[in-house]
Amino acid sequence: MEAIEVSHLTFSYDGKNDILKDVSFSIPKGSYTTIIGHNGSGKSTMAKLIIGLLEAKKGKIQILGKELNEESVYELRSHVGIVFQNPDNQFIGSTVADDIAFGLENLCVPTEDMEDIIQTYAKKVNMTEFLDHEPTKLSGGQKQRVAIAGILAMHPSIIILDEATSMLDPRGKIEINNLVHELNKTQNMTILSITHDIEEAALSDHVVLLDNGHIIDEGTPEKVLTQKEELERIGLDVPFAYKISKKLHDSGYPIKPIINKEKLVKELCQLNLKK
């Protein structure tokens, strides 16, 4: 069973100009998939369609084998958590702790169990010391951490990250990305990341490349993110590790082109040891 299956999806805001055009793709359960494209390519619209905030003009969406429609939307949303680029509209509670607890209350988690869960996920996003603070008075990056903690605390089967790390500093991006990858690997949580960050996309299992409402390529990061001319045509670039490793390879060094920074560092260390 696929976690998400999108079939021949077409969507328009005004009924005339299609933002998404006959889009089809599937996301296996337990995978980490990235939809990547430049601003305006239709990425965030796709996220809103998948959780039922928008209704498709044509086509259908299935979540965990069940078609998304007016009758099933609220049931299916209980399996999907989404973190938007701007988290302001996601805040409900008067404090950070209350906000993380809100989703747990909807899931009828016993009050006596909530405190440990709140503490656990606040710690994971480095927001423990802010639990008594008012969310609206936090910085943009702090707000995003709270929104992510609230979603993770509910432990949905699927998490959608819609440019969710764009407001974080470099260290914060690394911490949140590591956390999400850990949940994907250790708890088999399906992750759909929607981003224009090529370095984040390089760490996923599968990449869907979107341009002007069309899927123009999909496959492994190694396949999709090394197409330099195609990426540059739509305003993107190849991963930094690929640039360096390919230049070394083309210069005669015994190293294959690599898109993952950590793998590149290991290869360079091995190369240095052989000297």
Side-chain angles (χ1 to χ4, degrees), residues 36-41 43 195-196 198 207-217 224-225 227-237:
I36 190 166
H38 59 76
N39 292 334
S41 60
K43 306 186 305 299
T195 184
H196 64 272
I198 206 79
V207 176
V208 177
L209 185 60
L210 198 62
D211 178 46
N212 194 30
H214 292 284
I215 292 177
I216 57 174
D217 199 3
V224 178
L225 303 182
Q227 306 301 315
K228 189 174 187 294
E229 291 184 1
E230 183 77 330
L231 291 170
E232 289 180 346
R233 182 185 66 78
I234 63 173
L236 299 175
D237 199 358

Side-chain angles (χ1 to χ4, degrees), residues 41-257:
S41 60
K43 306 186 305 299
S44 291
T45 297
M46 179 65 70
K48 292 173 184 175
L49 285 161
I50 290 173
I51 61 168
L53 291 178
L54 297 174
E55 185 177 350
K57 180 179 174 181
K58 295 179 182 177
K60 68 178 182 178
I61 297 171
Q62 289 181 293
I63 308 291
L64 299 173
K66 189 168 187 176
E67 185 171 350
L68 178 68
N69 52 41
E70 290 183 359
E71 289 74 30
S72 66
V73 62
Y74 293 107
E75 174 196 346
L76 292 177
R77 278 184 190 166
S78 68
H79 299 291
V80 183
I82 185 166
V83 182
F84 293 104
Q85 180 177 7
N86 185 345
D88 284 341
N89 295 330
Q90 291 184 256
F91 292 130
I92 302 294
S94 58
T95 67
V96 168
D98 289 342
D99 198 77
I100 297 174
F102 178 77
L104 301 175
E105 291 170 353
N106 287 340
L107 295 175
C108 300
V109 174
T111 303
E112 59 270 22
D113 295 338
M114 284 189 190
E115 182 61 29
D116 285 344
I117 297 173
I118 292 168
Q119 289 287 340
T120 295
Y121 287 97
K123 183 177 180 180
K124 284 183 179 293
V125 297
N126 291 325
M127 289 298 291
T128 303
E129 63 182 287
F130 296 92
L131 285 172
D132 294 329
H133 287 57
E134 184 180 338
T136 56
K137 294 182 179 179
L138 300 174
S139 70
Q142 290 169 335
K143 290 177 181 179
Q144 197 65 294
R145 289 173 183 270
V146 174
I148 291 169
I151 294 299
L152 295 180
M154 293 188 290
H155 207 275
S157 301
I158 303 166
I159 292 180
I160 300 175
L161 304 171
D162 184 11
E163 301 281 7
T165 64
S166 62
M167 297 178 70
L168 300 178
D169 58 30
R171 180 178 178 180
K173 283 187 178 186
I174 292 171
E175 291 173 351
I176 295 303
N177 282 328
N178 287 344
L179 172 59
V180 173
H181 278 277
E182 176 189 344
L183 292 169
N184 170 244
K185 299 300 181 186
T186 63
Q187 300 184 34
N188 202 39
M189 195 175 285
T190 304
I191 307 297
L192 172 58
S193 175
I194 294 174
T195 184
H196 64 272
D197 190 322
I198 206 79
E199 303 299 339
E200 289 187 21
L203 300 174
S204 57
D205 301 322
H206 190 80
V207 176
V208 177
L209 185 60
L210 198 62
D211 178 46
N212 194 30
H214 292 284
I215 292 177
I216 57 174
D217 199 3
E218 67 174 308
T220 64
E222 288 77 12
K223 170 184 178 290
V224 178
L225 303 182
T226 56
Q227 306 301 315
K228 189 174 187 294
E229 291 184 1
E230 183 77 330
L231 291 170
E232 289 180 346
R233 182 185 66 78
I234 63 173
L236 299 175
D237 199 358
V238 296
F240 178 75
Y242 181 75
K243 287 183 180 180
I244 299 300
S245 58
K246 189 171 190 310
K247 190 167 185 177
L248 289 170
H249 175 79
D250 293 346
S251 298
Y253 288 90
I255 186 170
K256 295 180 180 179

